[in-house]
């Protein structure tokens, strides 16, 4: 694992394709309080050896962890105050600019690039990905921001997976996201699993099938 671009504003882990000749790029965004190492360990279990993976660290240091990162802060009950919204806007701008620059550094076009995220990373996936010409969006135990506007143009297809026993991001948030995305005309593949706020093998299989197809 190496950093792909020392000039990037984000601290990034790069996992090259096992085949040596990648046919696509998968960007994976971690959740609140985690960091890019958290999901990087899952690469072998995705079983997508012909894809290269990029794991950026969150834009901000986590408030309650020496090693954790976040894309924005939360207040009580997961609400966003002015500070949170300012951080969200910053993360949106930084991530969008970085992803738009990826073809120049990876050699893989955006239409062969997937954006995935877990929890808060899933929310950021929808926040930025709906406006980008990428191959697809993967939301694992995530949610759609309440103030997210309908994309002005056709959006990429999305896979939304969630646990029925999730006690961090309730299943109702996933169902609401599915309904809103469908109303917006997004091609949504939605799946629920008997799990909590986690990633089980069935989720990895769903991701693999979504990307492969």
């Amino acid at each position: 694992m190496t950093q792909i671009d020392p000039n990037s504003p984000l601290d990034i882990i790069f996992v090259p394709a096992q085949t040596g000749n990648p046919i696509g790029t998968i960007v994976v965004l971690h959740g609140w309080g985690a960091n890019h190492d958290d999901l990087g360990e899952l690469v072998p279990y995705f079983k997508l050896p012909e894809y290269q993976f990029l794991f950026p660290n969150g834009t901000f240091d986590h408030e309650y962890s020496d090693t954790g990162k976040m894309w924005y802060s939360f207040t009580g009950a997961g609400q966003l105050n002015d500070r949170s919204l300012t951080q969200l806007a910053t993360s949106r701008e930084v991530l969008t600019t970085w992803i738009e620059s990826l073809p120049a550094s990876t050699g893989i076009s955006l239409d062969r690039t997937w954006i995935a995220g877990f929890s808060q990373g899933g929310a950021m996936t929808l926040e930025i990905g709906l406006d980008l010409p990428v191959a697809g969006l993967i939301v694992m135990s995530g949610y759609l921001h309440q103030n997210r506007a309908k994309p002005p143009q056709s959006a990429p297809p999305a896979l939304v997976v969630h646990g029925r026993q999730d006690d961090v991001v309730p299943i109702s948030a996933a169902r609401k996201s599915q309904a809103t995305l469908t109303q917006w005309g997004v091609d949504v593949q939605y799946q629920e699993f008997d799990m909590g706020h986690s990633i089980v093998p069935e989720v990895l299989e769903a991701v693999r099938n979504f990307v492969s197809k």
Side-chain angles (χ1 to χ4, degrees):
M1 296 184 182
T2 59
Q3 188 182 51
I4 186 171
D5 183 1
N7 298 316
S8 170
L10 295 165
D11 179 23
I12 301 157
I13 287 178
F14 170 54
V15 182
Q18 297 176 34
T19 57
N21 295 305
I23 63 172
T25 297
I26 301 177
V27 174
V28 187
L29 309 178
H30 65 75
W32 188 70
N35 58 44
H36 55 20
D37 295 322
D38 183 51
L39 298 177
E41 299 175 353
L42 292 177
V43 170
Y45 303 100
F46 281 113
K47 297 180 181 179
L48 292 167
E50 65 273 33
Y51 291 83
Q52 57 188 8
F53 286 79
L54 296 174
F55 298 87
N57 248 347
T59 318
F60 300 95
D61 291 334
H62 193 258
E63 298 156 312
Y64 312 117
S65 169
D66 292 336
T67 60
K69 295 287 186 176
M70 63 184 183
W71 302 105
Y72 54 86
S73 60
F74 285 115
T75 56
Q79 298 299 310
L80 303 186
N81 58 18
D82 290 344
R83 178 169 177 262
S84 304
L85 292 172
T86 298
Q87 291 175 335
L88 171 58
T90 297
S91 291
R92 179 172 58 239
E93 180 179 359
V94 170
L95 278 172
T96 299
T97 300
W98 172 64
I99 289 175
E100 288 177 333
S101 74
L102 283 181
S105 57
T106 66
I108 303 294
S109 62
L110 286 183
D111 63 4
R112 294 297 302 168
T113 298
W114 282 257
I115 306 175
F118 176 75
S119 195
Q120 189 183 70
M124 290 305 301
T125 294
L126 291 174
E127 181 70 24
I128 62 173
L130 289 171
D131 297 322
L132 291 172
V134 294
L137 310 175
I138 301 164
V139 182
M140 298 174 285
S141 302
Y143 51 95
L144 182 69
H145 292 131
Q146 291 184 2
N147 61 343
R148 180 58 169 90
K150 177 181 178 181
Q153 55 196 16
S154 178
L159 169 67
V160 177
V161 297
H162 214 94
R164 299 186 187 95
Q165 291 81 42
D166 195 325
D167 59 356
V168 177
V169 179
I171 189 67
S172 59
R175 292 169 179 169
K176 184 176 179 180
S177 298
Q178 178 202 19
T180 301
L181 292 172
T182 301
Q183 184 181 20
W184 287 350
V186 179
D187 180 9
V188 183
Q189 179 180 327
Y190 179 80
Q191 291 182 256
E192 296 180 3
F193 297 97
D194 287 322
M195 64 178 187
H197 196 64
S198 61
I199 299 176
V200 298
E202 290 82 0
V203 169
L204 300 175
E205 182 180 1
V207 171
R208 183 166 58 252
N209 292 336
F210 180 72
V211 172
S212 299
K213 293 178 181 178

